[in-house]
Amino acid sequence: MTTNPLIKPFRVDVPQADLDDLRERLARTRWPEPETVQDWGQGVPLKSAQALVQYWSEQYDWRRCEAAFNRYEQWTTEIDGVSIHFLHVRSRHENATPMLLTHGWPGAVLEFFKVIEPLTDPTAHGGSADEAFHLVIPTLPGYGFSGKPADQGWSIEKIAQAWAELMARLGYTRYLAQGGDWGAAVTTALGAMRPAGLRSIHVNLPMVMPRDPVAEPTPAELAMLMAMQDYAEWDSGYAHQQSTRPQTLGYGLADSPVGQAMWIFEKFHRWTDSDGDPFKVLSYDQMLDIITLYWLTNSAASSGRLYWESYKKGFFAVPLDLPVGCSIFPKELYRAPRSFAERCMSQIIYWGEPEKGGHFAALEQPAVFVNELRGWARCLPAGEGA
């Protein structure tokens, strides 16, 4: 039980009027004409968009998602003027290792819901008691139920400082940290800071891109460089918009639930390990839980501002001098080569290359994700865990 007076209990309880407003807006959608290609090359196809919205309007149940949130202890605490929402799920195993999990965009703490029980109660999910974790899962500032910063300056480094403060307020003197996407950037910044108590980090999107040109790259290095070039040319429009004009974008996404939905739905198509069919790995409900969370909390502009703060500096290699674990999922935005990682990480203790999974690893392949984290934790030097 959290007893720090700076930490307040939180419960999700969305007013019914907000849900009624959503359905009314969906019913008034003005659709564009169909795309002129036979695939997703111009974005979400009209038929796919209409099918998702029909389910959202007629069958989707936010109260089910709300109940899933409220199964867990949730809290808020104000750090540097911003309310930070987080889940705090303690293991029943007394010697569990505290671990901080950080999501990215267009993600949410919801990404981790299927891994919470296996990580906190391993003996009920194929693991042993010494693989148990106490989990702290914060919502990024400007996202979901966290507050929206009113001033600039909330970069990945500032968020990392806030996370260190959060763990200190919770009384954790030794802990681990993990993240993907922006969560990987924040976790890497935390690793570079090395606040008191942080023993090791794990990332499933390693920040290893060299700042200088690479002479005579190896095949693996060339593959990453080519993937990044393809991303820059064909997949990064959303990032350029959010990193340059998040406010302008926000007006449309804040006013149109369908606009908000397609802004995220396309990423589930592009970034999952699903052969172009996200429904092979995710359900309508899983995708709409995240989409609806962004809509109900009006987080389009405020979440996009993290790109404005950090996109141009957030994904290059950062020197790390603490134990690091990396998991390279096959359909991630790029497959980081170990040679790049070894240039900036002095203590790689775990390097996993699972056979399945994409950008939303914990959401797509929860069992694989759990095994990767267990594998990393087993490699910690003696005394670096709990």
Side-chain angles (χ1 to χ4, degrees):
M1 184 70 177
T2 301
T3 57
N4 189 317
L6 297 176
I7 297 174
K8 309 297 183 183
F10 180 87
R11 182 176 177 83
V12 179
D13 186 14
V14 171
Q16 184 60 40
D18 291 356
L19 302 178
D20 294 340
D21 175 73
L22 170 59
R23 284 197 165 84
E24 290 170 6
R25 289 172 182 263
L26 293 176
R28 296 195 307 270
T29 300
R30 184 174 71 166
W31 298 100
E33 69 282 354
E35 61 284 355
T36 59
V37 295
Q38 301 302 311
D39 55 19
W40 288 62
Q42 294 179 352
V44 182
L46 180 60
K47 287 184 178 179
S48 298
Q50 289 176 329
L52 179 74
V53 171
Q54 182 177 7
Y55 184 91
W56 199 9
S57 178
E58 298 177 1
Q59 298 183 57
Y60 177 74
D61 180 12
W62 166 258
R63 297 302 184 194
R64 171 199 49 78
C65 181
E66 195 171 90
F69 265 106
N70 292 332
R71 286 180 56 200
Y72 303 111
E73 286 191 1
Q74 298 170 80
W75 307 85
T76 60
T77 189
E78 186 174 306
I79 300 176
D80 289 342
V82 174
S83 175
I84 301 298
H85 164 262
F86 65 98
L87 278 65
H88 188 197
V89 188
R90 290 186 58 84
S91 173
R92 65 186 178 88
H93 296 288
E94 199 170 302
N95 295 320
T97 302
M99 180 163 60
L100 178 68
L101 295 177
T102 307
H103 68 88
W105 184 93
V109 295
L110 286 160
E111 291 180 64
F112 299 117
F113 277 18
K114 285 194 173 183
V115 304
I116 289 176
E117 276 75 19
L119 290 173
T120 57
D121 191 8
T123 56
H125 296 85
S128 59
D130 60 1
E131 295 174 318
F133 299 94
H134 301 308
L135 299 180
V136 178
I137 312 176
T139 295
L140 290 168
Y143 290 65
F145 297 115
S146 278
K148 298 176 173 64
D151 299 304
Q152 58 185 294
W154 277 88
S155 63
I156 55 174
E157 292 82 8
K158 186 174 180 66
I159 295 171
Q161 292 170 356
W163 278 195
E165 172 62 21
L166 172 62
M167 296 304 279
R169 288 185 187 183
L170 291 172
Y172 288 127
T173 58
R174 298 174 68 84
Y175 62 93
L176 311 177
Q178 196 284 332
D181 190 80
W182 279 118
V186 171
T187 300
T188 299
L190 194 67
M193 286 170 45
R194 295 205 69 172
L198 179 65
R199 301 307 175 189
S200 177
I201 68 169
H202 176 279
V203 290
N204 50 286
L205 185 64
M207 307 290 109
V208 298
M209 175 62 76
R211 292 184 180 274
D212 299 321
V214 180
E216 300 183 5
T218 67
E221 292 170 352
L222 182 61
M224 175 178 169
L225 294 173
M226 292 179 66
M228 291 305 295
Q229 181 177 348
D230 182 76
Y231 169 84
E233 291 182 359
W234 296 105
D235 205 22
S236 63
Y238 77 97
H240 286 292
Q241 181 69 22
Q242 294 186 151
S243 65
T244 58
R245 301 293 187 273
Q247 188 70 17
T248 301
L249 173 68
Y251 294 113
L253 301 188
D255 190 57
S256 168
V258 172
Q260 176 69 90
M262 300 313 142
W263 194 244
I264 295 175
F265 183 33
E266 191 224 7
K267 301 312 171 193
F268 288 133
H269 166 264
R270 288 286 295 175
W271 295 348
T272 53
D273 184 5
S274 60
D275 297 322
D277 180 4
F279 298 106
K280 288 183 178 179
V281 293
L282 301 176
S283 67
Y284 270 135
D285 283 342
Q286 286 176 298
M287 289 186 275
L288 285 169
D289 284 349
I290 291 175
I291 289 167
T292 308
L293 177 62
Y294 275 78
W295 172 258
L296 292 173
T297 57
N298 196 9
S299 297
S302 54
S303 63
R305 290 191 193 105
L306 182 52
Y307 286 77
W308 190 88
E309 293 280 1
S310 292
Y311 182 68
K312 289 180 173 59
K313 61 180 179 179
F315 293 94
F316 285 103
V318 174
L320 294 173
D321 190 24
L322 80 170
V324 176
C326 300
S327 293
I328 314 302
F329 286 84
K331 296 299 181 180
E332 184 52 274
L333 301 183
Y334 58 78
R335 291 178 59 84
R338 182 157 184 161
S339 57
F340 278 177
E342 289 173 342
R343 295 183 185 185
C344 56
M345 301 172 179
S346 65
Q347 301 180 57
I348 299 175
I349 62 170
Y350 180 81
W351 188 270
E353 297 188 11
E355 294 183 359
K356 295 181 179 180
H359 188 68
F360 306 95
L363 190 63
E364 297 175 52
Q365 299 291 338
V368 176
F369 183 83
V370 167
N371 286 337
E372 288 298 299
L373 267 57
R374 288 176 178 173
W376 157 57
R378 283 195 294 269
C379 294
L380 288 169
E384 294 296 316

